[in-house]
């Protein structure tokens, strides 16, 4: 069965029906939730491997795998047209069916249907399913239901389900959970396995949460939740079941975080004591006074560097709040204590920026430093590695080259990782394993939403910078559209005439054979030939340039030799030019909120007022209007999390559809707090829940 008809429902918290229906069909024999998925009919070795790759090994795993969504089968439309969005259902007679071969293996089948009630016509399209044409002879009565899609010829049903007298679709009002099946397995087949596992294993699934806490959160017990998730009686029952299954994943995650924090203990870290004299000396090396936020962050971090327990801190701050200065203080303190620091960045541009920006400070203090990236070869690389192993280099800046096998530190005591979300689990581990008891400072200019911080970074102790250094100009953001785009280039010429510099960012390098806007090479060619701006100097930078050439072009822009820099998002981080006051982002609808906010951070780094111009399609209007309204990276991060989902919090993926039982980042914040409360208050429960789970980031 696809689900029971919609009916009023009060969520039950009992595991069994106290008054069973004597006429109900006999319940199938129960199965052991720990039994392998191969015990289900139709699950052979190949399908079992596909399920295992998705983390589904036992029947219990299938029980706890929440459906991706719940669909209520709609009532048929009496007349056209189709609604603008959502799902629709139509019944009628086939007018005709056409098969169109596009190129290669791509094809589309388009069916015109005349509705029973009104005689209006609607269209349905199936992509890459050429055999569907044979199912729709003219005059055949069919029942179609699916998502409404805006095609080239107007609204249409996209890949709808097909019903007939021989194989009818479910009745209107029927509730049907839908699943995103693992690769290589059909959605319907996978749904059947989940429902079978739920029907035969639910009663034997152990409940770890005390009834009082379940009642407080208005949640059913686990057996009830499993039954209602896979075969719901009502929408409220399914939503309560979704939340209860979400709690399973959040409990497992919080248990592992508790275990990871408890397991660090005395990890043999070098304790570097920053007394009042050293604090004054380190602060005095900076060319400016710390802001209040920077000073508070430094006090926290310096205190932790003085402990034997390895520090695990996440330093987050909006663009331009001065995270690098705080990191420089930490690195200098470590070197003064006899250790070394690895300063890791995801791109050569950012690594070079850090090395260039902090090199003078380190030179003045007599601290050896070097830059190690993939382009450093031969004798130069060998000399850096020799100095590093002999302890002559106190701070090593670099990219992924830092955690390669041949890189040996004399005594690595601190690892600083900027833009930490760009590195995977294994990469961070490889760097930490180059020392013993290494302190870890993660940095991000993409503020972590409070929900994600509570969930994923519960053991990292987040330190936050919000206050921008004094003397910075304002940054205004404008969405430029329609006729106003013609005024952009003349206005840029005025800004450059006044001695200011401009970024023009495009989301891709070349045209790839199409005429869509947003290609950096095409934009550079047009601007370099435009007499209104070419006199100020126009340069192009993108990721496919040889590293030396890219660095040379960026350096010319930093020196002010170039007025207008056309670039891809390679300049998203690591380029700091005080005279750059305007950034134009072309094709901005192709970029996410966080990336647009990061790019905006390239301007406003000096005393002059600055501008961010978003040139993009109306499909991203909501995104652009938010950026126009606020510069608060924390507000933007919360919205970005809401849009994109939390990702696979305990695993290797870092973005995408919400996992952990479809936990919603904002609606389910109470579940995050409940999971923390349970695991921190009951170490034995945390131990049981955390064993055997996915490995977490160090």
């Amino acid at each position: 069965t696809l689900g029971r008809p919609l009916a009023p429902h009060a969520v039950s918290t009992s595991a069994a029906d106290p008054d069973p229906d004597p006429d109900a069909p006999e319940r199938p024999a129960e199965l052991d939730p720990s039994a392998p998925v191969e015990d289900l009919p139709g699950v052979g070795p190949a399908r079992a491997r596909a399920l295992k790759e998705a983390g589904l090994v036992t029947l219990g795993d299938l029980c706890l795998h929440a459906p991706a969504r719940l669909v209520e089968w709609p009532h048929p439309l009496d007349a056209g047209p189709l609604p603008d969005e959502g799902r629709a259902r139509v019944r009628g007679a086939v007018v005709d069916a056409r098969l169109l071969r596009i190129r290669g293996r791509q094809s589309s089948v388009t069916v015109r249907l005349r509705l029973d009630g009104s005689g209006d016509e609607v269209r349905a399209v199936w992509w890459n399913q050429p055999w569907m044409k044979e199912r729709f002879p003219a005059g055949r009565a069919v029942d179609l239901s699916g998502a409404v899609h805006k095609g080239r010829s107007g609204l249409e049903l996209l890949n709808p389900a097909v019903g007939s007298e021989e194989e009818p679709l479910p009745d209107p009002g029927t509730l049907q959970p839908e699943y995103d099946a693992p690769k290589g397995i059909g959605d319907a087949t996978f749904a059947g396995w989940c429902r079978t596992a739920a029907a035969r294993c639910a009663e034997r699934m152990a409940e770890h949460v005390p009834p009082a806490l379940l009642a407080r959160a208005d949640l059913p017990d686990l057996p009830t939740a499993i039954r209602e998730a896979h075969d719901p009686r009502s929408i409220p029952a399914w939503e309560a079941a979704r939340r209860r299954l979400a709690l399973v994943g959040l409990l497992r995650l919080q248990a592992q975080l508790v275990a990871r924090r408890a397991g660090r203990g005395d990890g043999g870290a070098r304790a570097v004591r920053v007394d009042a004299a050293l604090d004054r000396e380190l602060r005095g090396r900076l060319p400016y006074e710390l802001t209040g936020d920077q000073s508070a962050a430094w006090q926290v971090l310096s205190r932790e560097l003085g402990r034997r327990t390895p520090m695990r801190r996440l330093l987050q701050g909006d663009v331009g709040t001065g995270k690098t200065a705080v990191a420089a203080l930490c690195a200098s303190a470590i070197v003064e204590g006899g250790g070394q620091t690895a300063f890791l960045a995801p791109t050569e541009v950012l690594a070079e920026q850090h090395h260039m920006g902090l090199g003078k400070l380190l030179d003045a203090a007599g601290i050896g430093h070097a830059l190690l990236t993939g382009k450093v070869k031969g004798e130069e690389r060998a000399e850096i590695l020799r100095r590093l192993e002999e302890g002559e280099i106190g701070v090593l800046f670099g990219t992924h080259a830092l955690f390669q096998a041949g890189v040996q530190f004399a005594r690595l005591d601190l690892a600083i990782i900027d833009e930490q979300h760009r590195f995977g689990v294994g990469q961070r581990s490889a760097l930490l394993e180059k020392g013993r008891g290494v302190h870890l400072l993660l940095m991000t200019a993409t503020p972590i939403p409070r929900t994600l911080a509570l969930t994923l970074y519960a053991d990292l102790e987040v330190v936050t910078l919000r206050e921008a250094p004094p003397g910075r100009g304002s940054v205004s953001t404008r969405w430029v559209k329609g006729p106003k785009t013609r005024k952009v280039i003349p206005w840029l010429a005025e800004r450059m005439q006044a001695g200011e510099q401009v970024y023009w960012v495009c989301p891709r390098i070349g045209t790839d054979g199409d005429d869509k806007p947003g290609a950096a090479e095409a934009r550079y060619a047009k601007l370099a030939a435009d007499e209104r701006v070419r006199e100020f100097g126009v340069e192009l930078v993108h990721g496919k340039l040889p590293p030396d050439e890219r660095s040379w072009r960026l350096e010319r822009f930093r020196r002010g030799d170039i007025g207008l820099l056309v670039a891809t998002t390679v300049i998203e981080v690591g380029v700091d030019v005080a005279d750059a006051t305007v950034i134009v982002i072309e094709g901005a609808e192709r970029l996410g909120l966080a990336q647009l906010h990061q790019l905006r951070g390239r301007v406003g780094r000096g005393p002059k007022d600055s501008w961010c111009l978003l040139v993009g399609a109306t499909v991203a209007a909501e995104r652009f209007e938010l950026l126009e309204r606020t510069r608060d990276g924390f507000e933007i991060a919360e919205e970005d999390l809401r849009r994109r989902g939390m990702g696979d919090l305990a695993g290797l993926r870092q973005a995408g559809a919400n996992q952990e039982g479809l936990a919603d980042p904002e609606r389910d914040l109470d579940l995050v707090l409940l999971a923390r409360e349970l695991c921190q208050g009951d170490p034995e429960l945390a131990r049981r829940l955390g064993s055997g789970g996915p490995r977490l980031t160090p």
Side-chain angles (χ1 to χ4, degrees):
T1 158
L2 293 171
R4 290 187 282 266
L6 184 65
H9 172 63
V11 178
S12 168
T13 57
S14 63
D17 190 339
D19 187 19
D21 184 353
D23 297 326
E26 183 178 351
R27 178 174 292 173
E30 292 183 357
L31 295 176
D32 184 354
S34 63
V37 292
E38 289 92 333
D39 283 5
L40 288 176
V43 183
R47 285 175 161 180
R49 285 193 297 271
L51 290 171
K52 184 176 182 180
E53 289 177 1
L56 303 169
V57 179
T58 68
L59 300 184
D61 293 335
L62 291 175
C63 289
L64 297 175
H65 187 88
R69 64 199 68 85
L70 182 65
V71 173
E72 180 181 356
W73 284 83
H75 290 267
L77 292 174
D78 293 328
L82 294 171
D84 291 340
E85 58 184 12
R87 300 175 70 90
R89 184 170 183 171
V90 294
R91 288 175 176 164
V94 174
V95 177
D96 57 35
R98 297 177 58 193
L99 170 62
L100 175 63
R101 301 281 186 180
I102 303 174
R103 60 179 178 271
R105 296 184 178 180
Q106 293 190 349
S107 66
S108 68
V109 172
T110 302
V111 171
R112 287 193 299 150
L113 194 72
R114 181 171 290 113
L115 302 185
D116 288 341
S118 64
D120 294 336
E121 289 188 2
V122 298
R123 291 159 39 93
V125 178
W126 290 263
W127 283 95
N128 300 324
Q129 301 176 61
W131 58 88
M132 292 295 292
K133 181 179 184 297
E134 305 305 320
R135 298 188 61 180
F136 297 101
R140 183 186 183 190
V142 293
D143 184 1
L144 304 180
S145 181
V148 177
H149 170 73
K150 187 174 183 179
R152 292 184 177 180
S153 301
L155 297 173
E156 59 195 20
L157 293 179
L158 182 62
N159 298 325
V162 183
S164 63
E165 291 184 4
E166 301 81 18
E167 299 180 24
L169 295 178
D171 294 335
T174 297
L175 298 179
Q176 178 180 346
E178 290 188 346
Y179 302 77
D180 293 332
K183 186 177 181 180
I185 299 174
D187 289 348
T189 299
F190 181 67
W193 292 341
C194 290
R195 289 198 298 269
T196 298
R200 302 187 66 176
C201 298
E203 301 304 324
R204 299 183 63 179
M205 295 291 287
E207 175 60 85
H208 296 293
V209 182
L213 289 180
L214 288 176
R216 190 178 83 188
D218 197 21
L219 297 175
D221 62 27
L222 192 56
T224 301
I226 291 170
R227 291 196 306 271
E228 293 290 358
H230 299 286
D231 188 16
R233 289 182 285 172
S234 71
I235 294 175
W238 186 84
E239 172 61 16
R242 179 201 66 79
R243 282 171 47 82
R244 177 63 189 89
L245 295 189
L247 183 60
V248 173
L250 293 173
L251 280 169
R252 185 182 300 119
L253 176 63
Q254 291 296 328
Q256 291 175 75
L257 293 173
V258 168
R260 191 167 71 180
R261 174 181 285 179
R264 283 208 303 266
D266 184 352
R270 184 196 296 268
V272 177
R273 183 169 177 267
V274 180
D275 57 20
L278 180 58
D279 180 68
R280 284 194 300 272
E281 180 181 346
L282 295 178
R283 289 174 183 254
R285 296 175 184 174
L286 298 175
Y288 42 76
E289 293 287 332
L290 294 178
T291 66
D293 279 359
Q294 287 176 314
S295 183
W298 164 235
Q299 289 177 9
V300 169
L301 297 177
S302 62
R303 186 166 57 247
E304 293 215 353
L305 292 176
R307 298 173 180 169
R308 295 274 296 169
T309 300
M311 178 180 75
R312 294 291 183 268
R313 284 282 179 173
L314 176 68
L315 178 62
Q316 68 166 345
D318 213 343
V319 288
T321 52
K323 297 177 297 300
T324 305
V326 177
L329 292 173
C330 293
S332 299
I334 287 293
V335 175
E336 295 295 338
Q340 293 171 298
T341 295
F343 204 126
L344 177 63
T347 66
E348 290 183 346
V349 171
L350 184 54
E352 290 167 358
Q353 175 71 37
H354 284 314
H355 184 237
M356 184 186 309
L358 299 180
K360 295 179 181 179
L361 294 176
L362 298 176
D363 286 337
I367 296 175
H369 58 89
L371 174 66
L372 184 64
T373 65
K375 70 180 183 182
V376 179
K377 307 285 185 181
E379 294 182 0
E380 182 183 3
R381 176 183 172 84
E383 177 63 13
I384 289 175
L385 296 182
R386 181 197 65 77
R387 294 174 58 213
L388 183 70
E389 191 167 0
E390 294 180 4
E392 297 177 13
I393 294 176
V395 182
L396 181 63
F397 299 87
T399 56
H400 299 71
L402 295 191
F403 47 75
Q404 292 178 353
V407 180
Q408 300 293 327
F409 291 81
R411 172 68 196 235
L412 178 62
D413 283 337
L414 172 63
I416 300 173
I417 302 179
D418 197 8
E419 294 297 301
Q420 58 83 28
H421 57 281
R422 299 196 183 191
F423 293 95
V425 174
Q427 293 169 328
R428 286 184 282 232
S429 296
L431 184 58
L432 292 177
E433 289 168 0
K434 292 187 176 293
R436 179 174 177 270
V438 179
H439 296 293
L440 176 64
L441 177 62
L442 304 176
M443 300 199 304
T444 179
T446 304
I448 307 300
R450 64 183 183 125
T451 310
L452 196 55
L454 283 169
T455 307
L456 183 54
Y457 298 107
D459 69 328
L460 278 178
E461 301 297 337
V462 179
V463 182
T464 299
L465 302 180
R466 287 181 176 270
E467 183 181 358
R472 296 284 180 92
S474 65
V475 179
S476 301
T477 302
R478 294 291 182 270
W479 176 22
V480 182
K481 53 187 174 179
K484 291 184 178 180
T485 57
R486 294 195 293 268
K487 300 180 181 179
V488 169
I489 293 179
W491 184 73
L492 296 182
E494 293 177 6
R495 303 265 52 81
M496 288 186 283
Q497 186 66 47
E500 301 172 18
Q501 292 173 278
V502 175
Y503 298 100
W504 191 301
V505 177
C506 300
R508 56 188 183 146
I509 298 174
T511 60
D512 299 325
D514 61 43
D515 57 356
K516 295 179 181 178
E521 291 176 338
R523 177 55 60 188
Y524 166 73
K526 290 180 180 179
L527 291 172
D530 194 317
E531 60 182 13
R532 295 171 292 181
V533 295
R534 65 184 181 187
E535 65 176 287
F536 302 104
V538 183
E539 193 55 275
L540 173 66
V541 168
H542 55 71
K544 288 187 177 180
L545 286 173
D548 288 339
E549 177 69 15
R550 186 175 63 238
S551 298
W552 178 73
R553 294 183 184 186
L554 282 172
E555 181 57 27
R556 292 182 67 207
F557 186 68
R558 289 189 182 102
R559 292 200 311 257
D561 299 341
I562 298 298
L564 198 162
L565 182 68
V566 180
T568 60
T569 55
V570 70
I571 59 105
E572 178 181 349
V573 293
V575 180
D576 190 351
V577 179
D579 286 333
T581 60
V582 181
I583 183 167
V584 180
I585 305 177
E586 184 178 357
E589 75 279 359
R590 297 186 177 202
L591 304 176
L593 269 173
Q595 196 169 23
L596 290 171
H597 180 61
Q598 280 272 40
L599 287 167
R600 177 169 58 179
R602 295 311 95 209
V603 297
R605 306 183 81 85
K608 299 178 181 178
D609 291 341
S610 299
W611 295 83
C612 173
L613 305 183
L614 303 172
V615 182
T618 55
V619 67
E622 188 179 358
R623 216 180 311 160
F624 299 156
E625 289 165 359
L626 175 64
L627 290 166
E628 284 184 316
R629 187 173 68 249
T630 181
R631 285 188 63 201
D632 187 339
F634 293 89
E635 180 182 348
I636 292 169
E638 292 285 354
E639 178 64 17
D640 197 42
L641 177 65
R642 183 188 68 80
R643 290 166 177 265
R644 295 196 304 152
M646 226 183 253
D648 183 2
L649 299 181
L652 300 178
R653 289 178 294 167
Q654 297 183 16
N658 291 336
Q659 301 296 310
E660 305 303 323
L662 295 185
D664 183 274
E666 284 304 317
R667 283 187 302 162
D668 298 332
L669 179 58
D670 63 315
L671 299 183
V672 176
L673 300 176
L674 178 61
R676 293 185 74 195
E677 176 185 338
L678 277 169
C679 291
Q680 292 179 1
D682 189 341
E684 177 58 27
L685 173 63
R687 186 192 64 78
R688 293 199 309 271
L689 292 174
S691 61
R695 192 164 82 91
L696 293 172
T697 306

